[in-house]
Amino acid sequence: MNDARNTILSRLKTASIDQTMPLARNISNSVNWSSNYKVQLFRTQLQSAQAEIYDATDHSWLMTLQHICQAKYLKNILLSPTTSWGEAIIENSTNLPSLKYYDDPVENWKQTLFEGIEAAFTSTYGGIADTGTLILWPDTQEPRMMSLVPPVHIAVIEKSKIYNSFAEALKAQHWNETELPANILLISGPSKSADIEQTLTYGVHGPKELVVIMV
Amino acid sequence: MTTKFRTQFAKALAQHEVRNNTESVVNKLRKHRLAAFPDQAEWISMRRHSTAIRANATSKLPQLLEQLETNLQRNGIQVHWADTTEQANQTVLNIMRFHDARFIIKGKSMVSEEMGLNDFLNTHGIECLESDLGELIIQLAAEKPSHMIVPALHKNRKQIARLFHSQFPSIPYTEDISALAQAARRFLRHHFATAPVGLTGVNFMIAETGTLCLVENEGNGRMCSTAPPVHIAVSGIEKVVECLDDVPPLLGILTRSATGQPITTYVNMISSPRKPNEKDGPTAVHLILLDNGRSRIYSDPELRDTLNCIRCGACMNHCPIYKHIGGHAYQTVIPGPIGTILEPQKNGLDSYGELTQASTLCGACQEVCPVSIPIPKIINRLRWEHIRKSSCSTPGAGSGRRKTEAIIWKIWAWNCIHPGAYNRITSVATSMRRLADRILAKISPWTAARAVPRLPDTTLHERLKALKIDNE
């Protein structure tokens, strides 16, 4: 295969490149919305992609979570016991469904994850207003399949972390200066498909419902 | 004149159900795209930026590929190079054998279609399962995709309902789209959980960080790249971009051009296999970089623009030819305008050169292309390559040259630069116009379905003379 590598690269390198097109990366057609407007746009965009949005505060979000779990008749919910959000949930778990923790490598409980878990609760790394997008940086505490396998994904986002655009989020969060996680996800609604007659249907392979709590 | 393609095109034109399905979906896609670019000035500026990003990446392609490889390897992703589709297939097979795997679950990948991967693996006793809803429909029907973005757009819900019912007899017959999608979900879920290897395509590869970006709506791409212990990504070498900052503009214009969405449900950015102490994600990630003629296309400064394509499919949705004949008539992996320039370059003008005639040169494809690929110009260039006398870098150049045609054009050219002869010939043609009518009616497929234009009884020169207009 090394042969293939060298053949391909040497063919590419013999090509004559006469002019390169100037590329201005810092062109600023970027917007700068007020935080209120960003939150409003974020909400509108996510709602138009069939996500459910709840407004809450630092104090009320746990009640919102309880309300969501009850309204959906959830029997269990997967969460991280070690994030500050998870710790708060564990302390106030009386009105919540059975709490499940992702504390084992997936190989040891894949079947249960795929068949037995009804919902997962995760934090987010930020949000994008103009597309209505959650940014997730899954890690050892909140593994990536939490936002993929359970039929309901409940995510909490701090309004202060909603950026105007993806381009702005990259810069503001200094993505190119840090070691990137194994997997970064931008999530903009529940799973969907329009492969049949270009007609939208939700809940194809990922979560059927995306619920976002803004604090 | 009957050739393989003309026969196929005629057959496609007679398939009214496929034509209706195709037209109805491309009309929707066009409407969605139009709504996604409400501001012409913004479209122009987005397009200019995206064009510059792709042109920049293409101009530095070998350097960026080396940088990408270094960074991917540093991150723990194994990089394989394949000059041909055979090498790429063999690499997948080797990885499968290394892991003792006999089953692979696939996300949508046009490169794997280009490789003919499913057939290859099947002959080696490995079962492949497509997980994108459209691709699954195609696989169950034993067909090929007819569109890059909506692979099963040639089928309507009734056809899919019958197909699902025959393949999954336990599921009650339904024409409800949501119920059909849920049937696919139930069927595939177990396979996601148990597949030993997952395979996906790639939308962008970021050289700066060593990251693979995948764009999708269903979540099956995430499943294939997350749930199995091994993930294989396949990509053409041209999909590399220089840095992270290049992703947001390209992503925004890709999804808007393809389906009119501001962003897809999922953007999946993979920079490494599972890290220490992580509880999920594949423990091995492989990237196969496929050339298959791309570096040859790269050697020509004009044809090189073909490689800037970000596979949004907008050119297909706006092509008057594609709309009528549908994707299968092209008999290529990639149909539509981009296919008519890409496939003959990859596979040779001798077998695919005629495809370049599947265009009216109306220019719609170039107008909607988010990275401004001059498709009509390249079509013209390839038409010339097809009939040129000398050889060139494109395989099969000159294979379409016919002696009689060349002689006729030579006479025509000579005639046009000899006014005396020109006047005499046109006046003879005018006086014998009844005979000319009959000849014209026979020699051209154009006149088979259209009225033959009648030659006037006087030539233009004679008429101008009669009107006393004489400004040479």
Side-chain angles (χ1 to χ4, degrees):
Chain A
M1 290 298 132
N2 235 2
D3 283 352
R5 177 187 188 277
N6 297 336
T7 319
I8 295 166
L9 284 174
S10 67
R11 268 202 301 260
L12 291 174
K13 282 176 182 168
T14 51
S16 68
I17 306 294
D18 27 3
Q19 90 279 16
T20 52
M21 209 168 155
L23 171 57
R25 286 209 174 84
N26 50 2
I27 52 158
S28 61
N29 54 356
S30 61
V31 284
N32 202 1
W33 293 312
S34 72
S35 23
N36 270 347
Y37 183 73
K38 275 192 283 193
V39 170
Q40 194 193 323
L41 185 61
F42 176 78
R43 182 205 319 268
T44 320
Q45 291 288 58
L46 261 170
Q47 277 171 340
S48 70
Q50 294 285 310
E52 285 174 47
I53 317 286
Y54 292 88
D55 238 319
T57 63
D58 284 345
H59 306 289
S60 70
W61 69 272
L62 269 165
M63 272 171 62
T64 308
L65 180 64
Q66 286 166 7
H67 162 75
I68 295 165
C69 292
Q70 280 159 11
K72 296 188 183 299
Y73 302 104
L74 295 176
K75 285 199 226 31
N76 59 45
I77 183 166
L78 181 68
L79 56 93
S80 161
T82 48
T83 62
S84 58
W85 304 100
E87 284 169 357
I89 293 172
I90 292 166
E91 275 173 37
N92 300 276
S93 62
T94 37
N95 287 323
L96 285 171
S98 147
L99 303 183
K100 306 278 178 192
Y101 308 132
Y102 204 143
D103 42 17
D104 227 9
V106 70
E107 288 74 18
N108 302 342
W109 69 297
K110 218 175 192 175
Q111 215 57 32
T112 316
L113 172 63
F114 271 81
E115 285 160 18
I117 301 290
E118 297 194 346
F121 172 91
T122 74
S123 64
T124 52
Y125 197 71
I128 300 167
D130 69 354
T131 51
T133 301
L134 304 171
I135 303 171
L136 269 71
W137 281 36
D139 55 17
T140 52
Q141 299 184 74
E142 292 184 327
R144 52 182 110 172
M145 279 162 98
M146 289 178 80
S147 62
L148 176 65
V149 178
V152 179
H153 175 206
I154 304 169
V156 64
I157 183 166
E158 293 123 299
K159 289 176 189 163
S160 59
K161 285 193 194 162
I162 297 176
Y163 300 93
N164 296 297
S165 63
F166 183 23
E168 192 209 17
L170 283 184
K171 285 208 173 64
Q173 298 184 326
H174 309 287
W175 285 27
N176 56 356
E177 291 161 33
T178 32
E179 187 191 312
L180 295 180
N183 190 202
I184 292 178
L185 297 161
L186 307 185
I187 300 178
S188 309
S191 150
K192 66 174 180 237
S193 175
D195 269 350
I196 304 176
E197 295 187 3
Q198 199 53 28
T199 301
L200 270 178
T201 175
Y202 291 90
V204 185
H205 298 301
K208 298 178 177 185
E209 295 175 60
L210 174 66
V211 186
V212 178
I213 306 173
M214 298 196 290
V215 298
Chain B
M1 184 174 39
T2 307
T3 62
K4 185 178 105 184
F5 285 109
R6 273 161 219 263
T7 315
Q8 188 61 30
F9 291 167
K11 230 168 76 188
L13 287 172
Q15 292 181 336
H16 296 288
E17 197 173 25
V18 172
R19 287 180 67 180
N20 287 341
N21 298 344
T22 305
E23 184 163 358
S24 131
V25 173
V26 298
N27 285 347
K28 281 186 193 170
L29 290 167
R30 288 163 67 149
K31 213 171 71 195
H32 295 159
R33 177 191 167 275
L34 201 60
F37 297 110
D39 181 350
Q40 185 68 9
E42 197 190 347
W43 153 249
I44 291 171
S45 114
M46 284 173 82
R47 184 186 198 218
R48 193 172 293 149
H49 193 188
S50 304
T51 304
I53 289 171
R54 285 300 300 138
N56 169 67
T58 304
S59 72
K60 300 176 188 164
L61 186 56
Q63 292 76 25
L64 292 183
L65 283 170
E66 284 174 315
Q67 189 190 357
L68 175 78
E69 182 187 39
T70 308
N71 287 330
L72 285 169
Q73 287 172 342
R74 186 204 57 212
N75 296 348
I77 294 178
Q78 298 170 60
V79 182
H80 311 264
W81 300 72
D83 199 9
T84 61
T85 55
E86 290 79 22
Q87 287 177 11
N89 283 329
Q90 193 57 49
T91 306
V92 176
L93 183 62
N94 292 346
I95 296 169
M96 297 294 291
R97 285 190 174 150
F98 179 81
H99 293 281
D100 205 15
R102 309 194 68 79
F103 174 68
I104 188 166
I105 191 149
K106 291 179 65 202
K108 204 162 119 44
S109 156
M110 290 310 288
V111 168
S112 80
E113 296 286 343
E114 177 182 344
M115 288 156 59
L117 179 67
N118 294 9
D119 289 342
F120 173 83
L121 289 180
N122 286 341
T123 59
H124 288 84
I126 290 170
E127 192 194 339
C128 307
L129 181 63
E130 296 287 349
S131 63
D132 171 84
L133 181 55
E135 293 280 352
L136 175 68
I137 294 166
I138 296 299
Q139 189 182 25
L140 293 175
E143 291 178 13
K144 297 275 176 213
S146 63
H147 191 280
M148 286 197 298
I149 304 295
V150 195
L153 102 170
H154 58 287
K155 287 198 181 301
N156 60 37
R157 72 176 81 191
K158 289 191 172 134
Q159 295 167 311
I160 295 164
R162 286 196 294 271
L163 178 69
F164 271 42
H165 190 61
S166 69
Q167 297 284 331
F168 310 117
S170 60
I171 301 170
Y173 179 85
T174 174
E175 289 176 11
D176 180 74
I177 288 176
S178 168
L180 290 167
Q182 290 311 308
R185 178 186 174 101
R186 279 194 301 277
F187 167 64
L188 283 166
R189 217 163 158 76
H190 158 75
H191 292 293
F192 286 130
T194 54
V197 180
L199 183 136
T200 67
V202 176
N203 292 92
F204 310 114
M205 308 183 284
I206 310 168
E208 175 192 32
T209 53
T211 302
L212 310 175
C213 296
L214 281 70
V215 171
E216 54 139 352
N217 284 319
E218 293 179 13
N220 69 304
R222 282 187 66 193
M223 283 285 188
C224 292
S225 62
T226 308
V230 180
H231 171 212
I232 303 173
V234 291
S235 174
I237 53 170
E238 79 280 18
K239 291 262 174 89
V240 66
V241 294
E242 189 169 12
C243 60
L244 260 173
D245 287 342
D246 289 346
V247 174
L250 280 185
L251 177 66
I253 210 162
L254 167 67
T255 59
R256 282 179 175 85
S257 299
T259 55
Q261 295 172 269
I263 193 167
T264 47
T265 301
Y266 301 114
V267 178
N268 180 2
M269 303 173 77
I270 298 163
S271 297
S272 82
R274 182 188 304 199
K275 290 187 180 180
N277 300 323
E278 280 193 320
K279 299 183 191 79
D280 63 18
T283 46
V285 179
H286 298 265
L287 171 70
I288 300 175
L289 289 167
L290 176 65
D291 184 332
N292 191 28
R294 289 166 174 81
S295 59
R296 180 166 34 72
I297 297 171
Y298 190 77
S299 68
D300 186 289
E302 187 177 44
L303 301 177
R304 189 178 299 152
D305 285 343
T306 313
L307 300 176
N308 290 342
C309 176
I310 56 171
R311 303 283 190 269
C312 71
C315 60
M316 298 172 192
N317 305 337
H318 292 77
C319 179
I321 306 287
Y322 178 89
K323 184 170 88 172
H324 287 295
I325 63 175
H328 287 154
Y330 290 81
Q331 297 181 308
T332 52
V333 172
I334 295 187
I338 187 68
T340 63
I341 60 170
L342 183 62
E343 301 286 355
Q345 293 187 69
K346 262 193 209 153
N347 303 313
L349 286 158
D350 37 356
S351 39
Y352 288 88
E354 206 183 346
L355 267 192
T356 60
Q357 292 171 29
S359 169
T360 62
L361 298 178
C362 73
C365 48
Q366 179 174 357
E367 215 171 297
V368 297
C369 177
V371 292
S372 321
I373 299 174
I375 296 177
K377 192 175 91 175
I378 298 177
I379 287 176
N380 262 333
R381 165 76 189 277
L382 292 171
R383 284 181 180 180
W384 174 66
E385 302 279 0
H386 191 206
I387 52 103
R388 65 185 275 170
K389 221 172 173 178
S390 50
S391 67
C392 69
S393 63
T394 312
S399 59
R401 191 177 180 84
R402 283 194 304 270
K403 258 199 190 129
T404 39
E405 196 183 5
I407 289 168
I408 291 169
W409 284 114
K410 252 186 202 149
I411 294 171
W412 174 269
W414 182 88
N415 190 29
C416 285
I417 53 170
H418 292 86
Y422 182 88
N423 283 339
R424 238 165 293 142
I425 287 173
T426 47
S427 109
V428 169
T430 307
S431 62
M432 294 171 68
R433 65 186 198 283
R434 272 168 228 289
L435 180 65
D437 283 353
R438 249 174 282 157
I439 298 171
L440 281 175
K442 282 201 183 123
I443 58 170
S444 164
W446 179 264
T447 53
R450 291 171 188 80
V452 181
R454 238 94 203 235
L455 287 177
D457 49 12
T458 47
T459 68
L460 180 64
H461 280 107
E462 287 164 357
R463 280 202 260 174
L464 291 174
K465 219 179 251 173
L467 291 168
K468 299 201 182 340
I469 298 169
D470 183 20
N471 43 354
E472 280 293 317

